[in-house]
């Protein structure tokens, strides 16, 4: 009885806070799993776990805050956010901080900030804003404009260079265009054109990017360099077997064989220590979150909400697929974190803000309808 | 754009979105299914493969070299031991400035250009995380000095190892040999697994001959390493099996006495227990300190050893081939008796010289005594070393029969002793001369061979071996250095049975005649070594020998002092004692020492005196050997078996 009352009390408050309890539960489960595996992947570094927890709390706060903002308001902000983001990206290229051979950060004095992160949200918002004003499906001219809206920031980000983020921003843009009603025939034409342009793309790629692709195709090419990551990661995952070696018992993870094991390659640690069963559970959590996002999009009552909710859910899905795919040797090594699990702050805040939007879309639905 | 077209159709839009969302949902599920398939492939189908790779990744097998077996003399005196030694090891990746560090280290420990050159060579073959020794065998002062200043040298550490040490220095090297750093050629033919981690290898002597026994079995540490190869922890430890401890037949005291007796001369002395072939002493002079070779001798010092005219590196006892001179006479006498050329009591006139009957050149083979010896029987011929008697005997015997009989005592071939570097002597035949020199055999060759000159050559070991057989009236044992093996773990000593050889069988009366002559050498005033053994506590049977080094014939009144050193005769002496029940047989060669009586016999006397005094007791008026080995079954537990962990 008392339990019920409390539960309904919590549910009530969550509703009042525009927080979707299903999403929240799945996210919290994911976050908890992430902290556990981070403790192992960081070499049992409690400080790192504490820092990550702080960030997660902050990100949860951002999520709750964004959820409070009515969708209509967010929609109005979309162009402003988008153009501000573009300016910041230009600023990065002109004045940005150089780190690891790329200009990605702006030093704001108190923190370093990656404007490309804004674009992960600003691009789908801008596109949704653009399409919501017009009847769908889009005309050819609208598609060209939409393409430009996506391509501009993608090129700026790719120039930094930050291939992973450029890819994600491009993908999320394409999802909006797809959801807006891009015809399958046009898609087929672009697919052919895209394949045709691969050699051109190859020409413009940086040496290290080409190396990554080649290494992906044949990891043994460079077993101590770029291929080393993939080989060691596959060894970690493969040696985990069905049941895994157990938490904190992964030798690959614990003994420094895995590079970047607490950031991009954290899934390898998970795969080694929790095995196939653990990996399936983790992937199921992700699938659940994505499908819940799509569900929210389906139920949304206006085009803008649908497009934003659908594309953000898909971006989240792409995040997971690119990261896990890279770790298990399905995709080339691209610097994309495993959302909400990899150690690191910026992308986590963006993702939680996206979920805040999703929750807002869901909980403000009736208000809009009425 | 027409107005109609710009009109929205929310239901149519919614339906289209719904379809596309479902398509995307299905796509997501499909993509995740691909990931799941891939995971199943990695974690189920290929699991074994990756598990094996993961294991290889993290576990390195590190070989733990076994401690080398110790070497004792017959009384349990350590001849070769393992002592802790400190070396300076450098871990390159931890050294911020190698050149600066090496320079700064010079003020703390002595570093020769040799050390630095060797270090830099080794550096190139190792990973940066592997330690490379820079200096071996630090002095205690250097260890202390470094310990205090260690903070200045990150990546440099002192490491304890076990180092082979020969406490007797040069006194034992000719028998025991030494170990040195294992070289590429040796690595080629050893069991690579068992020698993983082994740095030293027996180079000469017993150390080389019993290398495998002394080495033991390698142990292994399973070490968990991280990706950079740095050790995390030891997973399992399979201890090495130490090499067997060897108990040699040598008597360290006797060995030292011989060494001292030969000091300042070139020569060799070998003593054998005739009852079983135990080599009691095996000394070559001058000698050198084997400890110089253990961790690599400096090129300067090696050049000095090589250039030394007295050839200290040459093992005269085993490889020195000398004309045996008159020491061959007892064997010749026996050959004459056995072949019926002479009889035991036959008196033969021996004048100042002898001529081959019917020799047109009338060549005179002179006796050492210009007046001759008159009527001589076989015993007297030995006692007074009558050359003329043996010229005649050899001629009548003929070279083939001489070869046939003397080879039964082991002349002309190596004894097969259990050590390295032995040379056979030479017992010539016409066939040999044709083959080796492309010349025919002259009767004169036979005549001079009868007094151990000409082509006949024997090593000191062969002489001692033959003397032992003589003392035992033909009973023969293969000379040996290894007397017993001690299991390093149980401490159990297993004695090695003597290796009996085909005995030389002749009538007892022949032995008596010959041995009487040998005993008279020291017992009768007309014996050639009488003066050297006058007043000696034991009855010694012996035979002197003086062998010309070159074919120069010196005039009768030339004194030794006027002859250049290198042209002086070699002095030889063979003996055994006590004469009636021998416990020790010796052979001594003193190069350029002149007469064997004055040069070699005193060396033999000192050796016999020491050995009999220290190893025998009188029981019922008879000299018997004190038991030695059984009392030594529990040799003290040996030196530290394991190199201590670095401090």
């Amino acid at each position: 009885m008392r339990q019920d009352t409390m539960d309904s009390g919590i549910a009530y408050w969550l509703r009042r806070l525009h927080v979707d309890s299903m999403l929240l539960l799945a996210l919290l489960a994911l976050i908890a799993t992430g902290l556990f595996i981070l403790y192992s992947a960081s070499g049992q570094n409690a400080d790192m776990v504490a820092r990550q927890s702080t960030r997660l709390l902050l990100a949860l706060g951002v999520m709750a805050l964004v959820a409070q903002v009515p969708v209509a308001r967010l929609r109005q902000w979309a162009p402003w956010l988008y153009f501000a983001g573009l300016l910041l990206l230009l600023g990065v290229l002109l004045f940005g901080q150089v780190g690891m051979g790329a200009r990605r950060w702006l030093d704001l004095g108190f923190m370093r900030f990656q404007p490309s992160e804004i674009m992960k949200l600003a691009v789908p918002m801008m596109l949704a804003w653009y399409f919501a004003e017009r009847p769908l499906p889009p005309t050819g001219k609208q598609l060209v404009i939409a393409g430009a809206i996506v391509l501009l920031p993608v090129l700026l980000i790719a120039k930094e260079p930050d291939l992973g983020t450029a890819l994600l921003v491009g993908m999320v843009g394409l999802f909006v265009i797809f959801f807006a009603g891009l015809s399958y025939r046009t898609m087929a034409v672009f697919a052919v054109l895209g394949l045709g342009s691969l050699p051109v793309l190859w020409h413009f790629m940086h040496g290290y990017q080409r190396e990554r692709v080649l290494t992906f195709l044949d990891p043994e090419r460079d077993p101590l360099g770029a291929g080393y990551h993939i080989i060691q990661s596959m060894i970690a995952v493969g040696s985990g077997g069905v049941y895994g070696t157990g938490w904190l018992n992964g030798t690959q993870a614990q003994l420094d064989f895995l590079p970047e094991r607490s950031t991009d390659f954290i899934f390898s640690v998970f795969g080694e220590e929790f095995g196939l069963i653990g990996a399936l559970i983790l992937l199921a959590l992700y699938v659940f979150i994505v499908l819940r996002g799509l569900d929210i999009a389906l139920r949304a009552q206006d085009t803008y909400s649908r497009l934003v909710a659908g594309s953000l859910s898909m971006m989240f899905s792409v995040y997971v697929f690119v990261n896990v795919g890279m770790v298990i040797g399905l995709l080339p090594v691209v610097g994309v974190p495993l959302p909400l699990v990899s150690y690191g702050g910026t992308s986590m805040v963006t993702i939680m803000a996206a979920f805040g939007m999703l929750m807002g879309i869901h909980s403000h639905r009736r208000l809009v309808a009425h | 754009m027409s107005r109609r077209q710009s009109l929205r159709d929310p239901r149519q839009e919614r339906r289209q979105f719904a379809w596309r969302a479902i398509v995307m949902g299905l796509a997501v599920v499909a993509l995740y299914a691909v990931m799941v398939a891939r995971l199943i492939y990695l974690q189920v189908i290929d699991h074994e493969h990756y598990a094996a790779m993961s294991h290889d990744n993290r576990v390195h097998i590190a070989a733990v070299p076994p401690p080398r077996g110790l070497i004792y003399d017959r009384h349990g005196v350590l001849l070769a031991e393992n002592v802790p030694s400190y070396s300076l090891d450098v871990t390159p990746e931890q050294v911020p400035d190698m050149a600066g560090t090496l320079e700064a280290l010079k003020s703390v420990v002595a570093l020769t250009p040799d050390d630095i050159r060797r270090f830099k060579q080794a550096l190139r073959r190792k990973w940066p995380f592997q330690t490379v020794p820079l200096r071996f065998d630090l002095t205690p002062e250097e260890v202390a000095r470094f310990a205090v200043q260690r903070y200045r040298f990150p990546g440099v550490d002192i490491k304890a190892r076990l180092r082979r040490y020969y406490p007797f220095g040069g006194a034992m090297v000719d028998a025991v040999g030494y170990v040195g750093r294992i070289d590429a050629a040796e690595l080629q033919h050893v069991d690579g697994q068992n020698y993983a981690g082994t740095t030293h290898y027996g180079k000469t002597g017993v150390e080389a001959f019993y290398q495998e026994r002394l080495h033991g079995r390698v142990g292994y540490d399973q070490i968990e390493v991280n990706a950079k190869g740095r050790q995390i922890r030891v997973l399992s430890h399979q201890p090495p099996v130490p090499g067997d401890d060897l108990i040699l037949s040598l008597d360290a005291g006797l060995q030292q006495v011989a060494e001292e007796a030969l000091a300042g001369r070139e020569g060799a002395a070998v003593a054998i227990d005739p009852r079983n072939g135990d080599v009691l002493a095996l000394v070559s002079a001058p000698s050198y300190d084997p400890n110089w070779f253990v961790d690599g001798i400096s090129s300067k010092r090696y050049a000095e050893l090589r250039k030394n005219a007295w050839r200290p590196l040459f093992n005269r006892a085993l490889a020195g081939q000398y004309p045996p001179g008159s020491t061959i006479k007892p064997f010749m006498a026996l050959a004459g008796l056995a072949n019926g050329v002479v009889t035991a009591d036959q008196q033969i006139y021996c004048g100042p010289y002898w001529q081959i009957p019917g020799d047109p050149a009338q060549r005179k083979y002179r006796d050492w005594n210009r007046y001759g010896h008159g009527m001589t029987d076989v015993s007297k011929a030995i006692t007074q070393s009558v050359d003329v008697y043996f010229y005649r005997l050899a001629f009548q015997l003929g070279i083939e029969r001489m070869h046939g009989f003397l080879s039964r005592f082991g002349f002309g071939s190596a004894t097969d002793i259990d050590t390295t570097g032995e040379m056979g002597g030479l017992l010539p035949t016409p066939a040999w001369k044709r083959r080796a020199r492309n010349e025919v055999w002259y009767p004169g060759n036979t005549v001079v061979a009868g007094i151990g000159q000409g082509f006949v050559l024997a090593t000191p070991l062969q002489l001692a071996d033959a003397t032992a057989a003589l003392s035992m009236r033909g009973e023969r044992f293969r000379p040996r250095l290894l007397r017993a093996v001690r299991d390093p773990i149980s401490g159990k000593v297993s004695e090695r049975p003597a290796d009996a050889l085909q005995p030389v069988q002749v009538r007892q009366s022949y032995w008596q005649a010959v041995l009487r002559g040998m005993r008279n050498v020291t017992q009768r005033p007309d014996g050639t070594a009488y003066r050297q053994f006058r007043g000696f506590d034991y009855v010694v049977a012996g035979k002197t020998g003086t062998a010309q080094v070159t074919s120069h014939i010196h005039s009768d009144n030339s004194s030794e002092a006027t002859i250049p050193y290198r042209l002086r005769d070699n002095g030889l002496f063979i003996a055994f004692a006590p004469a009636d029940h021998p416990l020790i047989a010796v052979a001594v060669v003193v190069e350029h020492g002149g007469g064997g009586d004055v040069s070699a016999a005193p060396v033999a006397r000192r050796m016999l005196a020491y050995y009999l005094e220290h190893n025998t007791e009188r029981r019922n008026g008879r000299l018997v050997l004190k038991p030695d080995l059984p009392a030594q079954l529990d040799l003290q537990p040996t030196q530290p078996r394991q190199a201590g962990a670095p401090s």
Side-chain angles (χ1 to χ4, degrees):
Chain A
M1 274 300 276
R2 193 177 145 72
Q3 194 70 40
D4 275 349
T5 331
M6 266 185 58
D7 276 355
S8 59
I10 291 169
Y12 169 78
W13 277 107
L14 284 177
R15 262 200 309 280
R16 281 287 301 267
L17 287 169
H18 306 283
V19 170
D20 182 66
S21 47
M22 273 213 268
L23 264 186
L24 183 67
L25 220 62
L27 290 174
L28 288 178
L30 193 59
I31 286 166
T33 313
L35 289 176
F36 260 94
I37 201 63
L38 177 64
Y39 182 63
S40 176
S42 64
Q44 302 173 32
N45 184 336
D47 281 354
M48 273 175 84
V49 176
R51 270 200 298 276
Q52 179 83 342
S53 307
T54 314
R55 283 195 204 109
L56 282 163
L57 280 177
L58 179 81
L60 278 168
V62 168
M63 177 192 81
L65 213 68
V66 173
Q68 310 312 309
V69 184
V71 182
R73 182 80 38 85
L74 283 175
R75 182 176 162 183
Q76 286 167 8
W77 290 350
W80 298 102
L81 194 64
Y82 178 79
F83 287 110
L86 276 187
L87 279 177
L88 285 172
L89 279 178
L90 281 171
V92 164
L93 286 180
L94 296 175
F95 318 107
Q97 298 287 305
V98 178
M100 319 248 289
R103 270 177 203 279
R104 295 178 187 172
W105 293 276
L106 272 186
D107 199 339
L108 300 185
F110 63 97
M111 66 176 286
R112 298 203 316 172
F113 167 73
Q114 284 193 42
S116 56
E117 284 297 324
I118 294 178
M119 280 307 180
K120 289 177 185 168
L121 300 179
V123 165
M125 286 166 73
M126 178 70 194
L127 282 169
W129 173 85
Y130 178 74
F131 286 127
E133 305 279 304
R134 292 156 180 85
L136 294 178
T139 62
K141 184 181 149 201
Q142 286 164 4
L143 282 180
V144 171
I145 292 170
I149 291 173
V150 180
L151 220 54
L152 217 55
V154 165
L155 289 178
L156 286 174
I157 295 167
K159 186 107 180 82
E160 286 181 356
D162 184 352
L163 206 61
T165 308
L167 182 81
L168 283 168
V169 171
M171 288 296 281
V172 73
L174 289 180
F175 283 124
V176 180
I177 298 172
F178 172 77
F179 283 128
L182 176 68
S183 78
Y184 290 105
R185 220 182 64 201
T186 317
M187 278 164 62
V189 170
F190 273 103
V192 172
L193 283 179
L195 283 177
S197 72
L198 278 185
V200 183
L201 195 68
W202 180 258
H203 181 74
F204 284 107
M205 272 163 112
H206 283 265
Y208 81 94
Q209 291 166 336
R210 286 183 200 172
E211 198 54 45
R212 276 184 185 178
V213 175
L214 288 174
T215 305
F216 161 67
L217 295 174
D218 177 17
E220 304 291 340
R221 237 178 87 81
D222 183 14
L224 289 174
Y228 180 83
H229 289 43
I230 300 172
I231 293 169
Q232 294 299 335
S233 172
M234 276 163 51
I235 290 174
V237 174
S239 65
V242 175
Y243 305 103
T245 55
W247 189 50
L248 303 179
N249 280 331
T251 54
Q252 285 287 105
Q254 302 299 325
L255 302 178
D256 260 4
F257 288 105
L258 269 175
E260 295 165 53
R261 57 194 167 145
S262 56
T263 55
D264 288 358
F265 282 85
I266 198 162
F267 185 80
S268 322
V269 178
F270 194 83
E272 184 182 22
E273 299 194 343
F274 295 95
L276 180 64
I277 293 173
L280 289 182
I281 293 171
L282 188 67
L283 289 182
L285 266 177
Y286 278 118
V287 172
F288 177 83
I289 292 168
V290 172
L291 292 184
R292 174 64 179 159
L294 287 176
D295 180 42
I296 288 172
L298 267 174
R299 298 181 198 203
Q301 284 163 336
D302 63 295
T303 304
Y304 172 82
S305 300
R306 277 199 287 270
L307 294 182
V308 168
S311 61
L312 287 181
S313 303
M314 287 310 294
M315 181 176 73
F316 187 72
S317 175
V318 167
Y319 250 117
V320 177
F321 183 71
V322 170
N323 178 271
V324 176
M326 143 186 114
V327 163
I328 62 181
L330 281 176
L331 295 173
V333 174
V334 182
V336 171
L338 186 62
L340 301 181
V341 172
S342 285
Y343 182 78
T346 323
S347 75
M348 184 187 301
V349 174
T350 318
I351 289 163
M352 287 309 250
F355 282 115
M357 272 187 224
L358 275 171
M359 290 176 174
I361 285 165
H362 193 54
S363 64
H364 291 290
R365 185 173 44 145
R366 291 222 169 86
L367 302 175
V368 175
H370 283 282
Chain B
M1 195 185 288
S2 72
R3 196 166 167 269
R4 229 185 91 83
Q5 277 173 311
S6 69
L7 280 178
R8 309 192 65 106
D9 182 351
R11 281 180 60 201
Q12 150 68 24
E13 277 182 28
R14 189 182 195 130
R15 201 163 52 239
Q16 179 184 282
F17 180 85
W19 273 115
R20 297 209 162 196
I22 289 166
V23 167
M24 279 292 109
L26 290 175
V28 167
V29 171
L31 278 182
Y32 279 65
V34 170
M35 288 196 284
V36 169
R38 176 72 177 172
L39 282 171
I40 289 173
Y41 173 75
L42 290 178
Q43 299 190 306
V44 180
I45 296 166
D46 249 10
H47 168 63
E48 301 270 314
H49 169 67
Y50 288 113
M53 283 176 81
S54 167
H55 189 260
D56 286 353
N57 245 351
R58 92 191 159 92
V59 178
H60 280 198
I61 305 290
V64 182
R68 195 173 175 86
L70 306 177
I71 301 178
Y72 297 94
D73 90 334
R74 65 191 300 111
H75 302 300
V77 176
L78 261 178
L79 304 182
E81 57 183 313
N82 302 323
V83 297
S85 138
Y86 296 97
S87 64
L88 206 58
D89 285 26
V90 180
T91 311
E93 70 172 359
Q94 292 167 16
V95 179
D97 169 21
M98 185 63 80
T101 298
L102 289 180
E103 201 50 47
L105 273 172
K106 282 181 186 166
S107 65
V108 182
V109 298
L111 284 180
T112 66
D114 262 3
D115 291 328
I116 289 174
R117 189 171 36 77
R118 216 180 322 221
F119 172 72
K120 283 184 174 162
Q121 271 170 8
L123 215 54
R124 266 177 257 137
R125 292 195 302 268
K126 302 263 191 159
W127 292 101
F129 54 78
Q130 287 178 309
T131 59
V132 180
L134 171 61
R135 239 297 298 280
F136 287 102
D137 213 18
L138 299 175
T139 64
E141 297 89 85
E142 284 174 323
V143 170
R145 217 163 8 184
F146 180 80
V148 172
Q149 306 212 32
R150 185 196 211 142
Y151 68 94
R152 286 173 56 200
F153 305 104
V156 185
D157 242 318
I158 286 179
K159 188 179 170 193
R161 306 163 182 270
L162 286 180
R163 178 187 188 278
R164 200 63 155 174
Y165 177 66
Y166 302 99
F168 288 90
M172 301 295 160
V173 67
D174 305 298
V176 175
Y178 59 81
V179 299
R181 323 204 105 234
I182 194 162
D183 64 34
E186 286 152 355
L187 282 171
Q188 285 283 309
H189 64 252
V190 298
D191 169 7
Q193 279 218 321
N194 199 28
Y195 278 79
T198 297
T199 52
H200 287 69
Y201 196 81
K203 299 284 181 183
T204 65
V206 167
E207 288 273 31
F209 192 85
Y210 290 110
Q211 165 61 31
E212 292 307 315
R213 282 200 100 126
L214 288 163
H215 179 261
R217 297 281 331 159
V218 67
Y220 288 103
D221 277 345
Q222 277 202 316
I223 294 173
E224 186 168 80
V225 294
N226 67 10
K228 292 181 184 108
R230 206 169 290 128
Q231 182 171 338
I232 304 291
R233 60 186 162 148
V234 176
L235 296 175
S236 73
H237 175 68
Q238 154 119 51
V241 179
D244 286 336
D245 293 332
L246 304 187
I247 297 167
L248 300 188
S249 54
L250 293 178
D251 181 313
L254 179 63
Q255 186 90 3
Q256 281 181 292
V257 165
E259 176 93 5
E260 282 163 27
L262 282 169
R265 332 221 44 173
E266 292 170 83
V270 177
I272 290 178
D273 183 335
R275 300 163 313 145
N276 50 26
D278 278 1
V279 174
L280 303 170
L282 190 115
V283 172
S284 170
S287 195
Y288 58 95
D289 190 342
N291 294 305
W292 293 340
F293 285 85
V294 172
D295 281 329
I297 188 167
S298 73
S299 37
K300 182 166 162 260
R301 185 176 266 170
Y302 189 61
E304 280 169 14
L305 283 175
R306 287 290 297 271
K307 276 187 293 189
N308 189 322
W310 280 23
R311 297 198 294 163
L313 294 175
F314 180 49
N315 191 335
R316 293 169 167 83
L318 290 173
Q321 293 174 304
Y322 301 95
S326 300
T327 59
I328 206 165
K329 284 173 183 167
F331 304 96
M332 284 298 296
L334 212 51
L337 290 167
N339 284 284
V341 172
V342 291
T343 59
D345 45 13
Q346 185 184 357
Q347 299 275 335
I348 292 162
Y349 175 75
C350 295
Y353 61 86
W354 186 76
Q355 285 175 308
I356 296 173
D359 176 16
Q362 300 269 302
R363 191 186 146 84
K364 288 175 180 170
Y365 292 92
R366 293 183 185 280
D367 198 276
W368 64 271
N369 183 331
R370 67 168 104 169
Y371 306 111
H373 298 272
M375 293 309 286
T376 305
D377 67 2
V378 71
S379 289
K380 179 184 170 187
I382 292 169
T383 306
Q384 298 190 11
S385 201
V386 181
D387 289 339
V388 164
Y389 187 92
F390 289 99
Y391 291 142
R392 182 175 172 275
L393 189 153
F395 180 74
Q396 290 178 349
L397 194 58
I399 190 65
E400 298 289 357
R401 282 197 288 179
M402 193 174 143
H403 180 273
F405 189 84
L406 291 188
S407 59
R408 287 160 70 186
F409 278 93
F411 285 106
S413 54
T415 65
D416 249 354
I417 187 177
D418 50 349
T419 186
T420 60
E422 190 197 4
M423 296 287 284
L426 176 59
L427 197 55
T429 60
W432 167 82
K433 196 181 177 192
R434 227 179 358 262
R435 199 173 55 245
R437 308 220 161 180
N438 200 23
E439 282 174 28
V440 293
W441 186 266
Y442 298 111
N445 296 143
T446 309
V447 172
V448 295
I451 60 160
Q453 293 280 169
F455 299 117
V456 188
L457 295 173
T459 67
L461 174 66
Q462 272 183 315
L463 278 179
D465 179 39
T467 306
L470 202 61
S471 77
M472 295 294 288
R473 300 181 180 227
E475 230 185 302
R476 291 184 67 210
F477 299 92
R478 192 189 308 280
R480 61 173 187 181
L481 281 162
L482 180 63
R483 178 155 188 243
V485 175
R486 175 168 175 268
D487 185 301
I489 293 160
S490 68
K492 198 173 149 272
V493 173
S494 2
E495 258 189 278
R496 193 177 172 219
D499 190 1
L501 300 177
Q502 181 76 42
V504 183
Q505 284 169 324
V506 296
R507 262 183 227 164
Q508 278 307 314
S509 58
Y510 301 164
W511 291 116
Q512 272 157 20
V514 170
L515 298 182
R516 193 190 317 129
M518 287 182 76
R519 175 203 281 255
N520 289 343
V521 168
T522 66
Q523 299 302 307
R524 278 174 54 138
D526 59 350
T528 50
Y530 175 75
R531 266 182 292 177
Q532 281 70 36
F533 283 92
R534 199 157 45 181
F536 195 58
D537 287 347
Y538 310 93
V539 180
V540 175
K543 181 70 197 82
T544 54
T546 304
Q548 291 172 3
V549 178
T550 58
S551 52
H552 81 284
I553 296 162
H554 38 97
S555 59
D556 288 347
N557 52 7
S558 69
S559 87
E560 284 293 327
T562 63
I563 301 168
Y565 174 75
R566 287 277 154 210
L567 298 181
R568 289 180 204 167
D569 294 339
N570 290 338
L572 297 97
F573 191 70
I574 61 171
F576 57 87
D580 52 344
H581 57 285
L583 300 172
I584 177 173
V586 299
V588 177
V589 176
V590 178
E591 289 182 26
H592 315 303
D597 51 345
V598 294
S599 60
V603 174
R605 175 178 163 150
R606 282 177 68 177
M607 290 171 71
L608 295 174
Y610 173 86
Y611 185 74
L612 295 173
E613 215 166 281
H614 287 83
N615 290 279
T616 61
E617 54 195 11
R618 285 195 189 275
R619 212 179 287 158
N620 305 329
R622 194 182 150 93
L623 214 54
V624 291
L625 211 60
K626 285 191 268 193
D628 53 352
L629 193 65
Q632 300 298 330
L633 280 177
D634 50 352
L635 298 162
Q636 328 84 326
T638 48
Q639 304 305 304
R641 281 273 168 206
Q642 207 86 61
S647 51

